[in-house]
Amino acid sequence: GLNLSTYLHLPALRHTGNLTAAIQKRQAESIAIDSLMGDLDQLVGDLVVVHNARTLGVTDEAILQGVRAAALKLVVAEKSARSALRSTP
């Protein structure tokens, strides 16, 4: 099956302390979110990897849609966190 990963740089979410909550909201049974080291407790460079957790019994289109949806939601949360940081004196 298809293994799909996307890498996201989420510094504002991490530095505001909202990264864990944002990730927990986005994780689904078929989507996994990890750090480059494999464990979110060892986050390197504010980078996370969004990838599919299963390949068998899932269509390529479903994998693509799931990873894309999770990544887009994290990007929206990151943009919101950046706006909040900019507006804070």
Side-chain angles (χ1 to χ4, degrees):
L2 177 68
N3 285 316
L4 183 66
S5 298
T6 187
Y7 295 79
L8 300 175
H9 185 230
L10 305 172
L13 282 174
R14 182 173 186 207
H15 296 291
T16 58
N18 296 324
L19 182 60
T20 302
I23 287 173
Q24 288 175 346
K25 286 182 184 178
R26 296 342 179 245
Q27 282 188 321
E29 184 177 309
S30 61
I31 301 298
I33 303 172
D34 297 313
S35 74
L36 293 176
M37 303 300 287
D39 182 12
L40 286 172
D41 293 333
Q42 300 176 359
L43 201 59
V44 176
D46 304 326
L47 293 170
V48 298
V49 182
V50 180
H51 59 95
N52 56 305
R54 292 186 291 143
T55 58
L56 296 176
V58 184
T59 66
D60 291 353
E61 186 64 30
I63 291 170
L64 178 61
Q65 288 177 352
V67 170
R68 175 185 273 166
L72 286 175
K73 288 176 183 175
L74 284 170
V75 168
V76 168
E78 172 68 14
K79 286 183 178 184
S80 176
R82 287 180 184 191
S83 293
L85 284 173
R86 273 190 229 117
S87 66
T88 306

